[in-house]
Amino acid sequence: MSKENRYIITGGPGSGKSSLLNALIQEGYNGFEEISRGIIREQHEINGDKLPWKNLKDFAEICFERMSLQLNECNSSTPCFY
């Protein structure tokens, strides 16, 4: 699996990472939601405890599993943004 054309968008809170990612997706690029944000949202909806401030070990394991899936979803011929 080639890792070319894969880009990680980083920055502090409120720096525009999600806005940039959404703009790239609207332009037709492959983009993937921040895994931790999705897990936190899911856990709040089900009143779960797999949150970084309650159960860091389980939260980290879920993050790793889902990040691995995202990595495999990227077609190496098309840029992917994370």
Side-chain angles (χ1 to χ4, degrees):
M1 167 187 350
S2 174
K3 293 183 177 64
E4 294 177 20
N5 292 324
R6 295 183 184 175
Y7 303 93
I8 298 172
I9 300 169
T10 65
S15 62
K17 299 178 301 290
S18 296
S19 296
L20 174 59
L21 181 61
N22 290 333
L24 289 165
I25 291 169
Q26 286 180 349
E27 290 295 319
Y29 292 99
N30 293 316
F32 298 91
E33 178 188 28
E34 181 182 352
I35 291 293
S36 56
R37 183 176 290 194
I39 294 168
I40 291 169
R41 184 176 51 249
E42 290 172 9
Q43 290 298 305
H44 278 296
E45 289 172 0
I46 64 170
N47 200 25
D49 74 340
K50 292 175 177 66
L51 298 163
W53 51 88
K54 286 187 176 182
N55 186 340
L56 182 58
K57 180 183 178 292
D58 286 351
F59 177 80
E61 287 176 2
I62 294 171
C63 284
F64 179 77
E65 289 170 10
R66 293 191 186 177
M67 286 177 184
S68 297
L69 291 173
Q70 276 186 346
L71 185 65
N72 291 325
E73 288 179 34
C74 181
N75 179 339
S76 63
S77 65
T78 306
C80 294
F81 296 90
Y82 302 87

